[in-house]
């Protein structure tokens, strides 16, 4: 039997494989709420414009409400024969209210309908992700507050560089996730135009008012060009691009958590709630959540590549290729949400090991730069020369297997006679971090201020 939707022209039904490759209901059923919200707005507009009678409009809205309730209660029977969410909803609507159901699709096509549904879905998802990122920032800020003066080694090349504070390190991620939030906000602002009214591609001969549907659905305005309206998926690319950047940040923080949890580091520990054991090695506590969050970026960047590849070279306007946007989009969004939630959980769960962090921060001549800076400030050496003098002192200490502050004054003066006793004051990790009060620097006093600033900048709105 031919499809009821285009049965006029068709005598035969589709081949089995045609139905299989064509059907999207398996995944686009996730758009049911957006699809029905769009239909309600479209129906109201048709009534207001005198295209539908008020009576039909009421029946349609009643029917749509019932369809929605059936889907939400799990009673709805989705059919692959009906291809996608649009036909499934429309068919059920007509079953419930009769032929008036067939009037809903006046001045509309599945092309502007799907463009609308995906736009609404991405917008809803952005709103959710925004809140989740804010929550993650709140968790990081709380931790930074707690560990504002906890000293740890700062690394470059993963080699001990200079002492920093754990709070300062965590606040770096607060900034990253803040930029991520603003990228999502930018994407939201740009996507917030309604494609409804474009119909199949060229617009509609009916006296429709796209401004009405746009307003009803919370859009800034209708899209200016009908061809663009049905073929634009920029906002999907943009969303996944913002998701990719966020996933990169999550991955970097995850990697640090994995490193910090490892036995050679022992900077932090995660509780039973965020680790798993091994089936063979009884002593193991593996940071699986961090590892999985570290890996999610693969799927998300994969989705970005998929979307760009699907859309590249696609002639205007709609092509069924575009149906392939949904699975990568959904997967990217799901992966992102999972990653953010897991990270928020880990940040709230983790416990630092300040003694261990301080011990590692004190080793490996991490205060060498402080000595060089002291030589510049107190002795008046040019920085290059101070660097050289310090390098020699580090060499002497390393040969003896001792820290810089264990060198005697005589040993130091043998290299640079103008060194005096006050040098020892800068050779501790506490002095090192306390001295770094320059704007954006790691000093505990700065972290306390950064925490207060961040609460205002990121959490008060
Ligand atoms: N399921 C389709 C999609 O996801 C809906 C639009 C179908 N339009 C069409 N002309 N076949 O893109």
């Amino acid at each position: 039997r031919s499809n009821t939707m285009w049965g006029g022209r068709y005598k035969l039904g589709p081949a089995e494989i045609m139905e299989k490759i064509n059907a999207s209901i398996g995944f686009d059923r996730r758009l049911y709420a957006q699809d029905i919200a769009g239909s309600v707005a479209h129906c109201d507009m048709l009534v207001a414009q005198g295209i539908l009678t008020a009576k039909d409009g009421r029946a349609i809205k009643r029917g749509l409400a019932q369809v929605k309730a059936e889907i939400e209660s799990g009673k709805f029977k989705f059919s692959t024969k009906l291809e996608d969410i649009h036909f499934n909803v429309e068919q059920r609507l007509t079953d419930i209210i009769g032929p008036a159901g067939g009037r809903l699709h006046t001045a509309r096509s599945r092309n502007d309908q799907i463009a609308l549904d995906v736009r609404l879905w991405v917008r809803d998802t952005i709103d959710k992700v925004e809140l989740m990122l804010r929550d993650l920032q709140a968790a990081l800020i709380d931790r930074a507050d707690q560990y504002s003066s906890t000293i740890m080694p700062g690394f470059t090349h993963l080699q001990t560089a200079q002492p920093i504070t754990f709070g300062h390190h965590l606040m770096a991620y607060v900034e990253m996730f803040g930029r991520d939030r603003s990228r999502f906000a930018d994407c939201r602002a740009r996507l917030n135009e309604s494609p409804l009214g474009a119909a199949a591609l060229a617009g509609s001969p009916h006296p429709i008012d796209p401004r009405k549907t746009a307003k009803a659905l919370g859009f800034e305005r209708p899209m200016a060009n009908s061809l663009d309206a049905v073929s634009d998926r920029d906002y999907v690319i943009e969303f996944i691009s913002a998701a990719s950047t966020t996933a990169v940040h999550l991955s970097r923080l995850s990697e640090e958590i994995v490193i910090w949890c490892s036995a050679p580091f022992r900077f932090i520990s995660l509780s039973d709630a965020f680790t798993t054991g091994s089936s063979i090695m009884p002593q193991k506590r593996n940071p699986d959540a961090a590892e999985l969050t570290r890996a999610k970026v693969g799927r998300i960047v994969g989705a970005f590549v998929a979307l760009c590849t699907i859309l590249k070279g696609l002639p205007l306007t709609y092509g069924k290729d575009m149906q392939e946007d949904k699975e990568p989009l959904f997967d990217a969004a799901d992966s992102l949400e999972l990653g953010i939630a897991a990270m928020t959980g880990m940040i709230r769960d983790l416990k630092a090991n300040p003694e261990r962090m301080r011990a590692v921060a004190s080793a490996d001549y991490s205060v060498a730069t402080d000595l060089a800076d002291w030589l510049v400030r107190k002795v008046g050496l040019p920085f290059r020369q101070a660097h050289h003098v310090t390098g020699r002192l580090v060499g002497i200490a390393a040969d003896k297997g001792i820290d810089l502050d264990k060198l005697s004054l005589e040993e130091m003066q043998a290299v640079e006679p103008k060194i005096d006793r006050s040098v020892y004051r800068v050779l501790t990790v506490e002095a090192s971090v306390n001295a770094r009060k320059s704007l954006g620097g790691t000093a505990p006093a700065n972290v306390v201020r950064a925490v207060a600033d961040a609460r205002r900048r990121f959490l008060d709105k």
Side-chain angles (χ1 to χ4, degrees), residues 6 22-25 27-28 31 83-87 109-115 118 200 233 318-326:
W6 45 74
N22 204 33
S24 55
I25 190 63
F27 49 86
D28 69 11
L31 300 171
E83 231 185 285
D84 55 27
I85 186 64
H86 323 300
F87 278 163
S109 154
R110 281 186 299 156
N111 296 348
D112 58 346
Q113 195 176 356
I114 189 64
V118 177
R233 294 292 182 278
Y318 180 83
K320 198 66 176 254
D321 312 50
M322 287 177 169
Q323 179 164 293
E324 290 288 311
D325 63 355
K326 284 166 213 57

Side-chain angles (χ1 to χ4, degrees), residues 253-272:
L253 181 49
S254 299
E255 169 74 355
E256 299 204 293
I257 289 175
V258 170
I259 292 175
W260 294 339
C261 282
S262 69
F265 272 77
R266 280 191 296 111
F267 283 6
I268 63 166
S269 56
L270 292 169
S271 77
D272 292 357

Side-chain angles (χ1 to χ4, degrees), residues 144 147-151 162-169 171 429-451:
Y147 297 121
S148 60
S149 56
T150 302
I151 294 174
Q162 293 175 352
I164 58 170
T165 47
F166 190 34
H168 193 54
H169 195 115
M171 290 303 290
V429 289
E430 283 76 14
S432 176
V433 297
N434 284 329
R436 282 176 169 67
K437 289 201 198 66
S438 60
L439 197 141
T442 195
N446 279 14
V447 178
V448 170
R449 227 175 308 118
V451 161

Side-chain angles (χ1 to χ4, degrees), residues 264-450:
F265 272 77
R266 280 191 296 111
F267 283 6
I268 63 166
S269 56
L270 292 169
S271 77
D272 292 357
F274 279 91
T275 50
T276 61
S278 154
S279 59
I280 174 168
M281 298 166 283
Q283 85 285 9
K284 288 300 282 291
R285 290 168 73 81
N286 297 323
D288 298 46
E291 296 165 81
L292 288 162
T293 304
R294 179 172 63 184
K296 291 290 179 207
V297 65
R299 306 165 70 128
I300 297 170
V301 173
F304 179 81
V305 174
L307 252 293
C308 291
T309 312
I310 290 162
L311 292 169
K312 103 156 250 310
L314 204 58
L316 299 188
T317 52
Y318 180 83
K320 198 66 176 254
D321 312 50
M322 287 177 169
Q323 179 164 293
E324 290 288 311
D325 63 355
K326 284 166 213 57
E327 284 166 291
L329 168 64
F330 294 156
D331 188 67
D334 292 344
S335 302
L336 181 69
E337 287 176 23
L338 210 51
I340 299 172
M343 183 54 78
T344 307
M346 286 187 281
I347 296 299
R348 293 212 184 277
D349 182 78
L350 72 80
K351 257 183 72 177
N353 181 353
E355 296 74 38
R356 172 74 187 157
M357 284 177 162
R358 189 190 180 285
V360 177
S362 308
D364 297 306
Y365 309 103
S366 65
V367 294
T369 319
D370 297 86
L371 176 52
D373 286 330
W374 183 90
L375 289 165
V376 169
R377 275 184 294 120
K378 289 286 155 70
V379 180
L381 297 187
F383 183 79
R384 271 296 142 238
Q385 198 187 333
H387 185 288
H388 185 76
V389 167
T390 306
R392 285 187 56 201
L393 289 170
V394 167
I396 294 168
D399 285 345
K400 304 182 81 171
I402 57 173
D403 285 340
L404 272 178
D405 63 347
K406 298 291 173 310
L407 287 175
S408 67
L409 191 56
E410 294 69 39
E411 284 170 310
M412 294 206 205
Q413 285 171 342
V415 176
E416 170 50 59
K418 291 203 193 112
I419 294 181
D420 65 42
R421 203 153 274 300
S422 71
V423 73
Y424 289 103
R425 267 189 261 133
V426 301
L427 297 183
T428 68
V429 289
E430 283 76 14
S432 176
V433 297
N434 284 329
R436 282 176 169 67
K437 289 201 198 66
S438 60
L439 197 141
T442 195
N446 279 14
V447 178
V448 170
R449 227 175 308 118

